[in-house]
Amino acid sequence: MTRRLALILCALAFLAPAHAAKVKAVNALDNVPVWLSEDHSLPMIALTISLPAGSSYDPPGKSGTAALAAYLLNEGAGTMTADAYQSALAAKGIKLEAIPSRDWLTINLVTMTSSAKEAFRLLGLALSKPRFDPDAVTRVRL
């Protein structure tokens, strides 16, 4: 038993110390909490947005509405069909996902800084002009 403990202590001695992320509150929007954590070691942006729009907001008798809407957010936006929208994301290596939960809709966006303008344009389209095309609705419902 003491040998095992000695091995564990030796292994721990060689581990690099952990560093907590520095998070600061930003007054970007009125009455909307915004937190920022910066690390410039990689040329990328990782953004997480949490909105109170989970399944607890589904209308009575229409469970799954929030989840369906979330999964349709990257199935076309503006004048772009689902294929065109996904191609635009892929062309710039942009990862965009919407994840519904009971109380929240969480949107994750990951992009290289060189593609930030296009990533935020596509995110803006998804949030302001989602298409909800019938073929996409059918595909996502399955």
Side-chain angles (χ1 to χ4, degrees):
M1 184 65 138
T2 58
R3 185 175 183 186
R4 184 180 300 168
L5 180 60
L7 286 172
I8 291 171
L9 290 174
C10 286
L12 290 174
F14 291 104
L15 293 176
H19 298 283
K22 294 177 184 172
V23 179
K24 60 183 175 183
V26 178
N27 291 325
L29 302 168
D30 291 335
N31 300 320
V32 177
V34 176
W35 297 281
L36 175 66
S37 176
E38 294 181 272
D39 178 353
H40 296 278
S41 60
L42 293 174
M44 64 183 288
I45 297 169
L47 172 74
T48 299
I49 302 167
S50 293
L51 304 168
S55 62
S56 62
Y57 295 90
D58 286 349
K62 299 201 180 225
S63 63
T65 301
L68 181 63
Y71 296 135
L72 286 168
L73 281 180
N74 64 1
E75 291 287 332
T79 61
M80 303 168 79
T81 64
D83 287 340
Y85 191 80
Q86 288 297 319
S87 293
L89 290 170
K92 295 287 189 172
I94 301 165
K95 180 182 176 186
L96 175 63
E97 62 182 349
I99 305 163
S101 68
R102 183 186 182 314
D103 296 317
W104 301 96
L105 167 63
T106 302
I107 299 169
N108 295 314
L109 175 72
V110 179
T111 185
M112 300 301 291
T113 53
S114 59
S115 301
K117 186 175 182 178
E118 180 67 357
F120 286 111
R121 183 185 80 80
L122 292 170
L123 174 60
L125 271 178
L127 294 175
S128 64
K129 297 179 182 173
R131 289 180 58 111
F132 303 117
D133 291 331
D135 62 325
V137 171
T138 301
R139 182 175 56 255
V140 170
R141 287 180 81 182
L142 298 176

